[in-house]
Amino acid sequence: MSTIITGEAVVLELRPSSFAARSLGCAIDVAATIVLVFAALFTVGAIPFLVDPAATRVVILVTLVTLLVIVPIAVETLTRGKSLGKLVMGLRIVRDDGGSIRFRHALVRGLLGFFEIYVSLGSVAFLASLFNTKSKRLGDMLAGTYAIRDRAPEPKPLQVSTVPALAPWAALADIGRMPDTLARRISIFLRQGAAMAPASRISLGNELAGEASRYVAPQPPPGTPPEIFLAALISERREREFTRLSAAARKAAHLRARLNGHGAGTR
């Protein structure tokens, strides 16, 4: 699994595609392209006015360039890294930093892909993908891209609660408007902290607790472990938001009922 940390310290976990999945996706794309090429050549051959051999060669060349180079580039650009084979296999091409690809990435991949896949009959792409950890072909290496598994399982909801010892403090604490980026970082830490090295886990926990304490008054009881404090904070914040939204929904429903009753009484 490839781990990327964004500028907001949000951890992105991207799962590079396997060599087999990417190879099968590429085979599907090639098969679909060959079908289109034969269909296009059959159509061109059936055009009655193409009796000039030179004109026929030009039309055939333009058709091949369009189907083998231009169409793949356009498809990957418009779909942000998808193709028929990748759609079937649940894959997507992304930049090395995890972002969506743009036209320049698709252009480099498409131009080199013609050489790697069609001119060399796939041997260059096969060898390049076989000997690197992310199954990159030459086009990916030069474009700074790789394929990820786009159908990753949905993460389970974060389960946090307030320990009984902190319940009195949580009930009275004034929790201010916490930045969403900080709340996401805390949630990620609580979800993934168990997999961290102990020293890193303690350091990051203390850092997040220090940032979060600016939005809470009074502070938790002295000696409260950072993870216990952060779990209680997120749990209480979630409960209060749910209570607020539920009250707003009940108020809106009551108002609608009153308006409907008033409207019925005036008829």
Side-chain angles (χ1 to χ4, degrees):
M1 184 175 292
S2 177
T3 300
I4 296 172
I5 302 179
T6 69
E8 295 177 344
V10 177
V11 180
L12 300 177
E13 291 188 345
L14 304 179
R15 305 170 66 186
S17 68
S18 64
F19 175 77
R22 185 159 189 187
S23 299
L24 186 54
C26 181
I28 293 173
D29 287 335
V30 170
T33 302
I34 290 176
V35 170
L36 290 177
V37 167
F38 276 106
L41 294 179
F42 177 79
T43 303
V44 169
I47 298 177
F49 60 82
L50 284 180
V51 293
D52 184 1
T56 301
R57 286 194 295 270
V58 169
V59 172
I60 292 176
L61 179 61
V62 170
T63 301
L64 291 177
V65 171
T66 300
L67 294 177
L68 298 180
V69 180
I70 297 178
V71 169
I73 293 173
V75 169
E76 282 199 354
T77 301
L78 295 175
T79 61
R80 293 291 188 264
K82 287 281 192 177
S83 67
L84 177 61
K86 295 177 184 66
L87 182 64
V88 172
M89 299 304 300
L91 308 178
R92 178 187 296 274
I93 300 297
V94 297
R95 303 193 307 261
D96 284 338
D97 63 1
S100 299
I101 66 170
R102 297 293 185 266
F103 171 73
R104 65 179 182 276
H105 305 101
L107 178 64
V108 174
R109 283 175 40 79
L111 293 177
L112 285 176
F114 174 73
F115 165 73
E116 293 183 77
I117 297 172
Y118 296 104
V119 175
S120 68
L121 299 180
S123 59
V124 174
F126 174 81
L127 292 175
S129 300
L130 193 60
F131 294 105
N132 66 81
T133 57
K134 293 183 178 180
S135 299
K136 288 188 173 190
R137 58 179 178 83
L138 290 182
D140 290 307
M141 296 178 189
L142 293 181
T145 59
Y146 70 106
I148 64 170
R149 295 176 61 182
D150 201 32
R151 295 177 188 161
E154 291 292 330
K156 297 180 179 179
L158 177 63
Q159 301 292 334
V160 292
S161 60
T162 302
V163 297
L166 286 185
W169 165 82
L172 299 176
D174 181 16
I175 303 176
R177 171 64 178 170
M178 185 187 302
D180 292 337
T181 54
L182 176 58
R184 285 198 299 270
R185 290 169 59 199
I186 294 174
S187 297
I188 293 172
F189 170 72
L190 294 174
R191 189 190 303 275
Q192 302 177 359
M196 298 177 62
S200 300
R201 182 176 180 177
I202 293 173
S203 175
L204 183 56
N206 288 329
E207 178 185 340
L208 292 174
E211 292 185 44
S213 64
R214 304 171 191 168
Y215 305 94
V216 180
Q219 297 298 302
T224 301
E227 286 189 55
I228 300 298
F229 162 59
L230 294 173
L233 177 61
I234 293 298
S235 176
E236 187 64 25
R237 182 174 181 264
R238 182 181 298 172
E239 288 294 328
R240 294 184 183 185
E241 185 67 14
F242 176 76
T243 301
R244 184 186 67 81
L245 292 176
S246 298
R250 288 194 298 269
K251 184 177 179 180
H254 179 67
L255 181 59
R256 284 195 300 269
R258 289 185 59 185
L259 291 176
N260 291 336
H262 177 72
T266 57
R267 291 193 184 102

